[in-house]
Amino acid sequence: MPATALHRRFATLAATGALWLGLSLASLPLLAAVFAGKPILQRIGPHEYQATPLLWSLATAPGRLYVGSADGLLSYDSVAWTLVRLPGGVDATVVRRLPDGTVMVGGHDTWGRLDHDPVNGYHYVDLLAASGLDAESRRLGVVWEIAQTAEGVLVHSERFLQLLPADGGPLQVWPTPPAMRSLLVSGGEVFTRFEGQGLGRLRQGEWQPLPGGERFAETAVAAVLAWGGNRYVVAADGVWRIER
């Protein structure tokens, strides 16, 4: 995996190699009396989760923590850590929990679902391998993002955009445009910034410029958020409202 790409996408978690878990003192009155004014933090390092300190992505569920690492997917249930390896031992570069509770995982040339059964525990289901796509269409490079959209589950990788339709139809595939940057989902709508062009919507693999979006042609965008009936763009130079 190219080092420059990893540094660009995953610098925050990879820089520490540790997880920090915090608990609210307000919910722990006895501890609050002892540690008044001090947050309770737990540092979890590689010696505890027994894997590489290179961590790429994080997702949570009730009573469960999922961490994408260079060794695979780490799962924590507040008692023990479990490592689920991906095909070929590739990195788990992204882990996302969808609104229906499904945990999706992406790596190098693979993406799929995390399943669990009482006997065998967690295991990875390679949905890309089961898609029926030819070998060339399965050469994704690094999977950057997996997101639930109004159209279905969208996978953004180095080489391709792939959509698992909500209606159960066959997987759809489009080449990832070279100028495309981060995939941003808000209220089921997909937004993305094209370097040199600006911010726009992504529908059925086609980029549609957003009115006024050209102001982000050279400005990085971190998120598009919905609040109070409006949508806001969080960019490197401030927060902007999208006019309807």
Side-chain angles (χ1 to χ4, degrees):
M1 188 179 303
T4 53
L6 289 176
H7 291 161
R8 184 175 66 249
R9 297 281 180 163
F10 309 121
T12 302
L13 283 175
T16 61
L19 301 174
W20 293 86
L21 302 181
L23 300 176
S24 170
L25 283 174
S27 63
L28 300 172
L30 294 179
L31 288 176
V34 178
F35 300 102
K38 297 180 180 179
I40 297 176
L41 295 175
Q42 179 185 358
R43 183 185 187 276
I44 303 173
H47 64 287
E48 292 172 281
Y49 55 76
Q50 294 294 303
T52 174
L54 299 176
L55 309 177
W56 309 139
S57 184
L58 178 71
T60 62
R64 183 72 61 170
L65 186 68
Y66 303 100
V67 184
S69 81
D71 286 340
L73 182 70
L74 293 163
S75 173
Y76 181 56
D77 63 0
S78 302
V79 176
W81 287 90
T82 302
L83 175 64
V84 179
R85 296 193 181 275
L86 272 59
V90 301
D91 299 37
T93 54
V94 61
V95 53
R96 295 287 182 258
R97 184 171 181 263
L98 303 184
D100 66 359
T102 302
V103 176
M104 301 293 291
V105 186
H108 193 283
D109 288 346
T110 185
W111 60 269
R113 184 183 68 240
L114 185 67
D115 277 0
H116 180 271
D117 68 68
V119 177
N120 300 310
Y122 281 100
H123 62 279
Y124 175 73
V125 179
D126 193 334
L127 297 178
L128 179 62
S131 67
L133 294 177
D134 57 65
E136 180 61 25
S137 296
R138 296 199 306 272
R139 294 193 182 98
L140 309 182
V142 179
V143 174
W144 298 131
E145 186 60 274
I146 301 176
Q148 180 72 60
T149 75
E151 296 175 338
V153 177
L154 186 62
V155 180
H156 174 206
S157 69
E158 282 186 286
R159 296 191 62 213
F160 295 106
L161 291 168
Q162 298 185 324
L163 177 70
L164 192 60
D167 62 7
L171 190 68
Q172 299 178 37
V173 182
W174 305 276
T176 299
M180 181 179 169
R181 298 300 181 256
S182 298
L183 189 73
L184 309 165
V185 179
S186 175
E189 279 198 283
V190 183
F191 298 84
T192 187
R193 188 179 72 88
F194 274 37
E195 187 68 25
Q197 297 180 64
L199 186 67
R201 287 183 172 88
L202 192 68
R203 290 171 175 163
Q204 286 293 307
E206 292 188 8
W207 184 75
Q208 302 170 3
L210 197 66
E214 63 276 2
R215 76 158 322 280
F216 303 106
E218 308 298 336
T219 303
V221 173
V224 178
L225 305 175
W227 182 67
N230 293 301
R231 282 204 174 91
Y232 296 85
V233 178
V234 181
D237 60 351
V239 178
W240 306 79
R241 187 177 66 192
I242 298 176
E243 296 292 343
R244 290 182 176 274

